[in-house]
Amino acid sequence: MWRSCLQLWDWGPRLLKWPLGGPICSVVPGPIPQLRARAYAPPKERKRFYQNVSITQGEGGFEINLDHRKLKTPQAKLFTVPSEALATAVAMEWDSQQDTIKFYTMHLTTLCNTSLDNPTQRNKDQLIQAAMKFLDTDTIWVEEPETLVELQKNEWDPIIEWAEKRYGMEIGASTSIMGPSIPAKTYETLASHLASYNMWALQGIEFVVAQLKSLVLTLGLMDLRLTVEQAVLLSRLEEEYQVQKWGNIEWAHDYELQELQARAAAGTLFVHLCSESTTVKHKLLRE
Amino acid sequence: MTALGSPARTLRGLLRELRHLSAATGRPYRDTAAYRYLMKAFRAHQVTSEKLCRAQHELHFQAATYLCLLRSVREHMALHQEFHGKGERSVEESAGLVGLQLPRQPGGKGCEP
């Protein structure tokens, strides 16, 4: 019995088919109670088993090769991306692993896997709905009534104005805990704007929205209005304020900041690189 | 928009990050596909006299985003190593913290394998 349970944890040669530690790990059947000691042990770390990472162009797009093996997604599909730049960046991620493979740093790979596998089986509308859900309680217009309000007015108001002008919305900031009420027209405008992106780009957008907790900031990133550093700063405005007031704790604040920046940057880059291909297609269609 | 800085600065930052990453494989960073791609892209879209070229701005934005990604991942890893990399203490160490020792049982403990 012990031997068969130990086999569950043998990740071994099944790496390329097993979950790469993306945002959604496939479920390993729960261990029986006698295995309590091993139930919370993290999966064995994979060592770097390849020397070279290269990119080849296949039928569906660009593929990644680890030595001579083709990279596959957690659901064993062939890993293809539409854009060469994206493939280069993913290859860079794999190439930069030293000794052990740290999946939690490979954000672009994770995003590509999610787009290819679609483990939660969501279609375009569901992705848009998921992103729009953040609009009600968007970080950027829930204001603190007292101390922060100056800082929030200075930093967030320009972005709110830009968003209102760009998308024809009319929303002011609100101090209530429920956030401002959003008119239906705004929902439709934004939903149709989001619908203009392809599936891959939408995965990226939904990812960034969930990280920054703000749809407006994400739109700012997509429209090149904000840099990633700026967007992350605006998203964490209150934390930055408190840090300046009370002091910075490196292993918590900086850690979180770098992780948030990494994820937001990965998502933004992913969307931009995936959206480029759609514009090319449109040009061909017109001709 | 002006927060992006100059393309040269972004390129310098990107090359620095590539150098850090290439330390993993030991190969010079000029060999990597990423380096070749970046240099090709930057040369092809060099700063012209037209400052309002949107495609150029987009490319620079993407480069800056990639730079942010590489830098943040590196810093995140460094912080993780420094502060969270050690894992849990073993049972012996935890006991030793309060001055206790684990009992030694000649027959082995009954509850564990």
Side-chain angles (χ1 to χ4, degrees):
Chain A
M1 183 187 64
W2 294 115
R3 217 163 284 136
S4 60
C5 294
L6 284 174
Q7 272 168 12
L8 270 181
W9 293 101
D10 175 25
W11 293 70
R14 285 178 285 163
L15 162 79
L16 292 178
K17 299 196 174 182
W18 262 146
L20 292 185
I24 298 145
C25 288
S26 70
V27 176
V28 178
I32 51 180
Q34 280 102 322
L35 275 185
R36 218 174 296 128
R38 302 203 56 171
Y40 303 122
K44 239 180 0 196
E45 275 185 343
R46 286 292 309 177
K47 285 209 162 55
R48 180 175 170 147
F49 53 87
Y50 49 90
Q51 257 75 49
N52 297 316
V53 185
S54 55
I55 309 169
T56 46
Q57 186 161 14
E59 293 168 3
F62 294 87
E63 299 156 8
I64 315 277
N65 298 330
L66 305 174
D67 284 336
H68 56 272
R69 282 172 284 227
K70 285 196 191 288
L71 178 60
K72 295 205 169 66
T73 69
Q75 288 182 1
K77 292 192 199 139
L78 190 59
F79 186 97
T80 39
V81 289
S83 141
E84 188 188 356
L86 187 54
T88 319
V90 172
M92 200 68 221
E93 276 188 347
W94 281 90
D95 209 12
S96 63
Q97 303 300 317
Q98 304 180 0
D99 297 334
T100 52
I101 301 183
K102 299 186 169 55
F103 294 114
Y104 57 86
T105 57
M106 300 163 74
H107 301 294
L108 286 174
T109 312
T110 311
L111 279 167
C112 291
N113 283 332
T114 311
S115 297
L116 282 166
D117 284 342
N118 202 1
T120 45
Q121 306 274 319
R122 289 191 285 190
N123 63 19
K124 209 166 172 178
D125 286 321
Q126 286 166 319
L127 280 175
I128 297 180
Q129 283 310 311
M132 296 295 291
K133 254 198 317 201
F134 279 86
L135 192 61
D136 278 325
T137 45
D138 201 309
T139 292
I140 211 172
W141 43 61
V142 179
E143 270 188 5
E144 162 89 23
E146 289 162 6
T147 40
L148 276 188
V149 75
E150 276 296 317
L151 188 61
Q152 286 172 332
K153 273 200 169 40
N154 289 339
E155 303 290 335
W156 285 346
D157 277 358
I159 305 299
I160 299 182
E161 274 172 37
W162 166 82
E164 285 179 345
K165 228 184 313 191
R166 169 86 171 76
Y167 295 102
M169 312 190 303
E170 291 160 14
I171 312 175
S174 130
T175 53
S176 87
I177 199 170
M178 298 292 287
S181 56
I182 320 270
K185 188 163 148 303
T186 308
Y187 269 118
E188 283 159 23
T189 321
L190 289 176
S192 56
H193 176 79
L194 287 178
S196 68
Y197 289 96
N198 63 35
M199 259 311 266
W200 279 54
L202 270 180
Q203 294 273 11
I205 290 181
E206 203 260 333
F207 181 69
V208 180
V209 171
Q211 295 302 317
L212 295 179
K213 315 284 187 289
S214 162
L215 183 58
V216 176
L217 288 177
T218 313
L219 291 172
L221 277 173
M222 300 312 148
D223 287 336
L224 315 188
R225 169 69 176 78
L226 298 164
T227 63
V228 177
E229 287 93 347
Q230 283 173 331
V232 167
L233 176 65
L234 290 177
S235 171
R236 283 172 42 106
L237 199 60
E238 178 171 355
E239 280 186 59
E240 295 294 323
Y241 172 77
Q242 304 292 2
V243 157
Q244 281 183 6
K245 191 167 176 198
W246 300 104
N248 186 34
I249 299 181
E250 210 182 345
W251 49 261
H253 292 126
D254 276 348
Y255 188 75
E256 235 176 58
L257 171 68
Q258 297 300 334
E259 180 163 18
L260 188 59
Q261 266 188 322
R263 286 167 187 250
T268 314
L269 191 63
F270 187 76
V271 174
H272 281 291
L273 292 177
C274 291
S275 318
E276 271 176 354
S277 40
T278 39
T279 47
V280 171
K281 277 190 201 142
H282 285 163
K283 261 198 148 172
L284 287 171
L285 280 172
R286 274 193 216 122
E287 285 170 47
Chain B
M1 304 273 217
T2 49
L4 271 184
S6 77
R9 200 153 175 233
T10 315
L11 183 59
R12 256 208 308 272
L14 278 166
L15 292 182
R16 198 177 299 140
E17 294 299 326
L18 283 184
R19 263 211 303 270
H20 281 290
L21 292 178
S22 294
T25 49
R27 259 180 310 153
Y29 69 98
R30 287 172 203 269
D31 268 349
T32 53
Y35 176 79
R36 286 193 291 266
Y37 183 88
L38 278 172
M39 294 313 276
K40 200 170 67 168
F42 266 84
R43 274 189 205 120
H45 295 82
Q46 253 169 5
V47 180
T48 61
S49 52
E50 306 166 38
K51 302 245 166 152
L52 298 175
C53 178
R54 184 176 158 94
Q56 206 176 70
H57 181 70
E58 260 185 46
L59 216 68
H60 186 206
F61 182 86
Q62 284 173 20
T65 308
Y66 190 46
L67 173 60
C68 177
L69 172 62
L70 290 177
R71 205 187 273 152
S72 309
V73 167
R74 187 168 53 86
E75 304 260 339
H76 179 231
M77 285 277 291
L79 283 171
H80 186 84
Q81 275 309 106
E82 199 183 329
F83 294 111
H84 303 278
K86 291 209 190 79
E88 276 189 3
R89 287 194 199 91
S90 70
V91 184
E92 285 89 359
E93 284 176 37
S94 313
L97 276 182
V98 290
L100 298 173
Q101 269 183 339
L102 287 181
R104 269 166 299 182
Q105 291 168 354
K109 297 203 176 87
C111 54
E112 280 191 24

